[in-house]
Amino acid sequence: MTYQALTPETLADYLRGVPALQTLLGDLDALDIVEVGDGNLNLVYFVSSRSQPGRSLVIKQALPYLRLVGEGWPLTRHRADREANALLQFGALCPQHVPAVFHADSAQSLIAMQHLRDHIILRKGLMEGLTYPNLAEHLSTYLAQTLFHGSDLYLSAAAKKQAVAAATNTELCKITEDLIFTDPFEDNPTNAYNPALPRAAIARVHQPEVRLAAAQMKWAFMNRAETLLHGDLHTGSVMVNPTDTYVIDPEFAYYGPIGFDVGLLLANLLTAYLSQDWHRVQAGQDPAPVQAWLLGQVAAVWDGFADKFTALWAAHDAASATSFMGSARDEASQRLFREAFMQQVFHDALGFAGCELVRRTLGLAKVAEIAGIPDEAARALIEVRTLRLAEALLLGRDDFQFISEVIDLAQECRTLTL
Ligand code: ADP
Ligand code: MG
């Protein structure tokens, strides 16, 4: 069948043609179908049985253009294949944190997946000041499992090279290259500035030293095919409830530097942290407890990821005839390599976090916790703090040794005034 963007009516017909989905949903004559896509790129439908509550699934279909901008920004539907493959690969590694895929149809650029019924988008929960006891534990597991198993530390050299070739995602990478690494660092028409944000604050991240750092991170993103990344791991790509954590929407998946997913996630926890000074005060609450929790999550995500990644690596080497370093069981060299490797990932993550913080403040795609602050002056204050944190991370990324230093820096930036 040729590609057709589905409507609720044509979707019902489509479901009739897929026995596996019929089995999941039961009576196809009594379905509720609602389009819920709040995203930028795709159609997302919730499909649920009226007669058998609890039977439901999500259908996600790629559109041949960028929804955020409209039909004037064409985009191939190739990304649905990238997303389906990534969901399957990541789901095999940590099924407890990735929605199950029931059906994938390349011709229709469509995926049927597990409906996360009583979960909300993490960014929304954080804006409401909610905390999640298992968040860092779950996200660090997800990061370690996915980022380790896609790399040369685990795969054979041949398998990894094939995986790199199969993961090409040119158009979505181009969006990242432009919107994260390039446009926000110059006065580009895709940017949008808060009128109350002092020009001097913008000029600081357009200085040559900062632009150099952003260009170096862009180069790393484009050239260091280390592992299969999620590629868009912000808090809008995480769904949570008090007990579970799921990572959705890996349509930007491709082979890139390990620190990229980690850095984006840390940056979005930091915007959640800085923006509490408006959101909690607005709700008549003390921001201190949730801010302390958020900084704790930043530390626990990094430390948990580093520990789990290293443990997976050591266990894999111990169980194999040969390791990345060769067959000599030279523990001292292995330990040195692992330590230097994790330090490099840390520095990369901080550089990528810096780029993400700038783009979420000045670029085309902002974050609701900052962009949604209606008072321009109050928003500018949070933006100035975010930009200063970004600048310090970008310029100083190689000087940080421990995540506690990043926490101290974030706390300092939080006290800056306009
Ligand atoms: P896009 O790629 O267009 O941004 P997303 O994959 O982020 O689309 O999905 C858009 C929205 O649909 C999400 O923010 C979430 O609210 C909802 N959604 C997506 N997948 C699921 C799912 N498996 N279960 C429940 N809700 C989902
Ligand atoms: Mg998306």
Side-chain angles (χ1 to χ4, degrees), residues 15-236:
L15 294 170
R16 280 175 224 288
V18 188
L21 300 182
Q22 278 196 41
T23 312
L24 281 167
L25 287 167
D27 181 4
L28 291 186
D29 293 321
L31 290 181
D32 279 324
I33 300 184
V34 252
E35 210 271 309
V36 296
D38 56 1
N40 301 330
L41 296 161
N42 307 289
L43 291 170
V44 177
Y45 290 101
F46 288 172
V47 181
S48 46
S49 164
R50 266 198 300 270
S51 49
Q52 290 160 291
R55 290 193 177 218
S56 63
L57 49 82
V58 165
I59 299 281
K60 178 167 176 177
Q61 187 182 33
L63 291 164
Y65 53 84
L66 189 66
R67 194 176 186 186
L68 172 77
V69 179
E71 301 195 20
W73 186 327
L75 205 62
T76 64
R77 295 176 282 109
H78 188 55
R79 64 187 185 280
D81 297 332
R82 296 282 76 79
E83 177 163 352
N85 289 344
L87 283 172
L88 289 168
Q89 175 163 333
F90 299 155
L93 293 166
C94 44
Q96 71 281 30
H97 300 310
V98 181
V101 173
F102 303 131
H103 167 76
D105 179 340
S106 185
Q108 295 301 324
S109 304
L110 175 152
I111 301 166
M113 70 180 109
Q114 178 186 354
H115 182 195
L116 303 168
R117 254 186 301 262
D118 53 353
H119 303 72
I120 62 165
I121 290 288
L122 174 60
R123 188 183 302 286
K124 290 190 184 140
L126 297 180
M127 281 173 69
E128 286 167 22
L130 301 176
T131 60
Y132 299 93
N134 306 318
L135 186 72
E137 172 65 21
H138 290 170
L139 289 174
S140 58
T141 297
Y142 168 88
L143 287 168
Q145 285 288 344
T146 60
L147 300 176
F148 175 72
H149 288 102
S151 77
D152 279 303
L153 301 174
Y154 175 73
L155 298 173
S156 73
K160 191 267 192 166
K161 285 178 181 66
Q162 270 167 12
V164 173
T168 330
N169 202 353
T170 313
E171 285 184 308
L172 271 67
C173 284
K174 172 87 169 112
I175 292 177
T176 301
E177 288 149 19
D178 292 346
L179 294 185
I180 298 189
F181 295 111
T182 311
D183 301 359
F185 294 93
E186 61 185 21
D187 271 324
N188 191 286
T190 61
N191 293 341
Y193 305 145
N194 172 2
L197 179 63
R199 288 298 309 190
I202 302 169
R204 284 187 75 121
V205 291
H206 290 179
Q207 313 165 61
E209 294 79 2
V210 179
R211 298 195 66 198
L212 163 68
Q216 288 170 331
M217 298 322 297
K218 178 179 175 180
W219 182 259
F221 176 81
M222 294 175 76
N223 290 288
R224 299 226 321 256
E226 295 174 355
T227 198
L228 185 67
L229 297 176
H230 177 284
D232 195 23
L233 189 50
H234 56 89
T235 47

Side-chain angles (χ1 to χ4, degrees), residues 332-403:
S333 309
Q334 306 246 34
R335 200 170 50 249
L336 279 178
F337 179 42
R338 278 184 206 130
E339 281 168 11
F341 188 100
M342 295 316 290
Q343 196 74 313
Q344 176 69 51
V345 174
F346 184 50
H347 296 158
D348 289 345
L350 300 183
F352 291 126
C355 294
E356 172 74 354
L357 291 170
V358 175
R359 82 91 164 224
R360 294 304 195 180
T361 312
L362 303 180
L364 175 72
K366 298 206 161 49
V367 287
E369 63 268 33
I370 299 178
I373 300 175
D375 176 334
E376 285 177 357
R379 189 183 345 137
L381 181 61
I382 308 292
E383 289 171 336
V384 162
R385 293 170 178 174
T386 306
L387 289 174
R388 286 289 281 278
L389 175 56
E391 177 188 330
L393 290 176
L394 276 163
L395 295 180
R397 63 192 187 280
D398 290 341
D399 303 328
F400 290 89
Q401 218 189 331
F402 302 107
I403 193 73

Side-chain angles (χ1 to χ4, degrees), residues 212-391:
L212 163 68
Q216 288 170 331
M217 298 322 297
K218 178 179 175 180
W219 182 259
F221 176 81
M222 294 175 76
N223 290 288
R224 299 226 321 256
E226 295 174 355
T227 198
L228 185 67
L229 297 176
H230 177 284
D232 195 23
L233 189 50
H234 56 89
T235 47
S237 295
V238 179
M239 294 191 73
V240 285
N241 70 15
T243 51
D244 311 332
T245 310
Y246 283 88
V247 177
I248 64 165
D249 196 16
E251 65 187 327
F252 282 73
Y254 95 113
Y255 257 82
I258 292 171
F260 184 78
D261 279 356
V262 183
L264 254 60
L265 187 61
L266 295 180
N268 283 268
L269 292 172
L270 290 166
T271 54
Y273 162 75
L274 290 171
S275 63
Q276 296 298 338
D277 282 309
W278 194 83
H279 293 286
R280 294 286 61 72
V281 173
Q282 208 58 20
Q285 296 162 356
D286 176 6
V290 67
Q291 285 183 318
W293 179 79
L294 279 162
L295 290 183
Q297 296 302 290
V298 168
V301 165
W302 169 259
D303 286 333
F305 160 72
D307 287 350
K308 290 170 191 174
F309 188 101
T310 312
L312 285 170
W313 186 357
H316 177 69
D317 284 358
S320 315
T322 168
S323 75
F324 186 84
M325 286 190 92
S327 46
R329 295 283 159 195
D330 168 6
E331 261 311 313
S333 309
Q334 306 246 34
R335 200 170 50 249
L336 279 178
F337 179 42
R338 278 184 206 130
E339 281 168 11
F341 188 100
M342 295 316 290
Q343 196 74 313
Q344 176 69 51
V345 174
F346 184 50
H347 296 158
D348 289 345
L350 300 183
F352 291 126
C355 294
E356 172 74 354
L357 291 170
V358 175
R359 82 91 164 224
R360 294 304 195 180
T361 312
L362 303 180
L364 175 72
K366 298 206 161 49
V367 287
E369 63 268 33
I370 299 178
I373 300 175
D375 176 334
E376 285 177 357
R379 189 183 345 137
L381 181 61
I382 308 292
E383 289 171 336
V384 162
R385 293 170 178 174
T386 306
L387 289 174
R388 286 289 281 278
L389 175 56
E391 177 188 330

